[in-house]
Amino acid sequence: MRTALLRAAGELAFLLLWFWLFTRLDAVVGTDFAAANADASALQAIEHAIHLDVERSVNDWLAGHPVLGHLAVYVYRLYYVVVAGVLVWVFARRAAVYRAVRRTMVAMTALVLLVYWAVPMAPPRSALPGAVDIVARYDILGEAGRASWTHPTHYTAMPSMHVGWSLWCAYAVWTALQSTHPRAAWAAWAFPALMVAVVLGTGNHYVLDVAGSVALLAVSIGVASLWGRFVARPASGFLHSPRRGPWRGAVR
């Protein structure tokens, strides 16, 4: 019991430190508003050329449905509760799976900072003419939240991490349950589907931001897999090498 508590405390400390570092680094990227607006214009042109520029119509529709607008803001603001809950559940119930999904989470936060630095992106609510800022209109955090929301310090819309984290949740649940509860595993993907509708309707992301989130998760899974193989390789070589004795394996 003591060992389990120490392990949980150590894991919590690591994650808190990692996310604190992520928030500090996130705050210093995407601060070039001119570049962010230029990138948003370029992305809008690409979407228009390939007929994916649906953000304005979806936003207009949600703006005309106040009840759904309020619900969308709740989902947008409170989704972190789901992310934390999935992380705790996998840690407590699926230890082997937890290592893989935690590595994927860490990889996502590291890789997305590179994208934010390279491609600052203004969201549709500020860059798309006529878009309605649904979160500002119905913000559940009150005036303080609305003031900070309408006066951002950086623009990092590409990719959407609201969609990215919801995809991570679905991936974690899928990995944990696909062999034992396949229906529940499939149902987990409804969460990112809902988040896609929310971020488009609230005017916070473009369709290509969502595509970027999918790509980010895919690359992060690959990085986590390589990471896991690298960590396991020394022990494998030491204990199971068919051509070397244990001492020779250790030296290698």
Side-chain angles (χ1 to χ4, degrees):
M1 181 66 177
R2 180 182 177 84
T3 301
L5 289 175
L6 289 174
R7 175 172 170 262
E11 192 65 28
L12 177 62
F14 166 76
L15 290 174
L16 289 175
L17 178 61
W18 181 259
F19 281 108
W20 175 84
L21 179 62
F22 171 75
T23 57
R24 299 283 75 77
L25 294 174
D26 178 56
V28 300
V29 294
T31 55
D32 187 341
F33 281 21
N37 286 317
D39 289 341
S41 296
L43 185 143
Q44 290 172 31
I46 293 171
E47 287 196 344
H48 180 72
I50 58 179
H51 307 290
L52 288 178
D53 52 337
V54 300
E55 295 86 6
R56 178 61 192 278
S57 59
V58 176
N59 177 252
D60 286 345
W61 183 87
L62 186 61
H65 296 77
V67 174
L68 293 178
H70 277 96
L71 292 176
V73 173
Y74 272 96
V75 173
Y76 191 86
R77 285 297 201 187
L78 300 179
Y79 84 109
Y80 294 104
V81 176
V82 179
V83 177
V86 169
L87 188 64
V88 171
W89 174 77
V90 177
F91 177 81
R93 302 296 297 273
R94 298 289 192 277
V97 170
Y98 176 79
R99 286 190 291 272
V101 298
R102 192 255 278 152
R103 288 169 184 157
T104 302
M105 172 178 278
V106 172
M108 287 179 70
T109 54
L111 292 172
V112 78
L113 288 172
L114 296 177
V115 182
Y116 287 165
W117 172 77
V119 191
M121 183 74 65
R125 58 187 166 85
S126 64
L128 194 61
V132 177
D133 191 338
I134 301 293
V135 174
R137 175 181 287 185
Y138 304 122
D139 201 346
I140 63 175
L141 299 183
E143 289 301 324
R146 188 175 295 108
S148 63
W149 181 258
T150 54
H151 296 85
T153 58
H154 60 294
Y155 281 148
T156 52
M158 167 63 84
S160 166
M161 284 308 288
H162 276 74
V163 175
W165 289 131
S166 61
L167 282 168
W168 175 87
C169 288
Y171 165 70
V173 173
W174 166 265
T175 306
L177 297 182
Q178 60 175 322
S179 61
T180 57
H181 300 82
R183 290 184 179 178
W186 277 111
W189 296 101
F191 182 42
L194 171 64
M195 190 59 70
V196 169
V198 167
V199 300
L200 294 178
T202 55
N204 281 290
H205 291 285
Y206 303 94
V207 172
L208 290 181
D209 293 341
V210 173
S213 303
V214 175
L216 175 66
L217 177 65
V219 173
S220 298
I221 291 171
V223 170
S225 177
L226 292 175
W227 179 358
R229 292 177 185 177
F230 178 80
V231 171
R233 186 175 298 171
S236 176
F238 178 83
L239 294 175
H240 302 297
S241 175
R243 292 182 292 180
R244 300 175 186 264
W247 300 111
R248 290 175 185 168
V251 172
R252 183 188 68 180

